[in-house]
Amino acid sequence: MSGAFPISNAKFQTHGIQSQIDTLISKSVSGKKLARQIGTQRFGFTAEIIVAKRSDVYGELMAFVIQQRGSKENFTIIPPEVKSTRGSETGTVLVNGVHAVGDNTIAMDGFAGDGAGRFKAGDLIKFASHTKVYMIVSDVTSSSNAATVTIEPPLITALADNSVVTYSNVPFTVHLVNDVQEFGGVGADNNGNVLYKFELDVEESI
C-alpha cells in the first residue's frame, strides 16, 4: 500500500466510472445462452487533475505516481462525484450478525431517525476490514433502527457482527491500470508558468 491519493477532492474530478465483470458466454446449437462469471466485480474510473502549476499540485502528484511503481502498489482514493450518499442517513451503522461469502442481503442496525432517507439505490458502502466497495441496489426505508440492505456484488469476504459500515466519503482501494504514466505541460499562464494536466486510470484492487 502506497498511501492515499494526495490531491484534494476539490482539485480533481472522476469520470467514466465503470463496473467490470468478467463473464464467459457460449451458446448452444439451439441458441440457449450459457454464462459463467469469472472472479468478482470491480470498479474502475479515470481521475482527471485540474490544470495547475507544478508548484500547486503536480510536484506532489508526480512523486506519488512514481511511488506506485507502475501497477504494483495499491492506494486509496475518494471519487468526489460519489463521495456523498443519495440517502440522508446519519447514524453509526453496524452489521447485525455474521454474514458469509456470497450473501447479498446484509442485516444492519444503528440507523438514525425515522426511516426517511436511509440509503438509496446507487449509494456506495464499505465494511470495516474489507477493501471491496459495494453498491446498494434497493432503497432502504425501514422505520426502525434496523434494516436489511441489498448489495452488489455479493460479499467476497465474510462479515463479522458489529462491523462498521462506511457510507460517506467511501475510499476505494485501487491500482494504476497502466505501467507507463506520462506527465507534460499543456500551456502556460500569463506569467509564463508551465501548466500541467494529468489523467490516470485506476481499477479497484480486490
Side-chain angles (χ1 to χ4, degrees):
M1 179 73 75
S2 287
F5 192 61
I7 309 303
S8 163
N9 281 130
K11 295 182 178 180
F12 77 94
Q13 60 184 2
T14 51
H15 53 87
I17 296 179
Q18 302 172 340
S19 174
Q20 305 173 39
I21 305 176
D22 299 322
T23 306
L24 289 178
I25 296 178
S26 60
K27 290 185 179 180
S28 66
V29 175
S30 64
K32 182 178 180 181
K33 184 183 82 169
L34 302 172
R36 182 164 63 94
Q37 185 175 325
I38 303 172
T40 190
Q41 180 268 0
R42 293 100 57 210
F43 289 106
F45 51 84
T46 298
E48 180 182 277
I49 292 79
I50 62 173
V51 174
K53 297 181 294 184
R54 183 182 178 192
S55 59
D56 292 334
V57 297
Y58 279 87
E60 184 178 12
L61 176 63
M62 291 175 186
F64 181 80
V65 169
I66 293 298
Q67 284 181 298
Q68 302 314 308
R69 300 178 179 177
S71 303
K72 180 178 182 293
E73 299 295 337
N74 298 329
F75 61 96
T76 58
I77 183 171
I78 301 173
E81 286 76 11
V82 291
K83 68 178 183 177
S84 299
T85 61
R86 294 178 62 232
S88 56
E89 181 57 45
T90 59
T92 301
V93 180
L94 304 173
V95 173
N96 185 2
V98 175
H99 293 272
V101 172
D103 287 353
N104 75 328
T105 53
I106 311 300
M108 300 182 189
D109 56 19
F111 289 101
D114 60 3
R118 292 275 184 257
F119 297 146
K120 291 186 177 292
D123 287 344
L124 299 171
I125 60 173
K126 195 172 188 178
F127 302 108
S129 77
H130 282 218
T131 58
K132 182 77 185 82
V133 172
Y134 298 88
M135 179 174 285
I136 295 168
V137 295
S138 298
D139 289 355
V140 178
T141 58
S142 170
S143 60
S144 71
N145 72 341
T148 298
V149 179
T150 304
I151 63 168
E152 284 292 337
L155 289 175
I156 64 170
T157 305
L159 277 177
D161 186 30
N162 287 328
S163 293
V164 175
V165 180
T166 299
Y167 56 86
S168 182
N169 290 312
V170 176
F172 285 72
T173 300
V174 300
H175 61 269
L176 296 173
V177 172
N178 302 306
D179 286 333
V180 177
Q181 300 292 326
E182 181 178 352
F183 295 88
V186 294
D189 63 16
N190 293 334
N191 296 317
N193 297 302
V194 176
L195 297 175
Y196 295 85
K197 184 177 181 179
F198 185 67
E199 291 185 358
L200 55 97
D201 298 318
V202 300
E203 180 179 310
E204 195 174 18
S205 298
I206 306 301

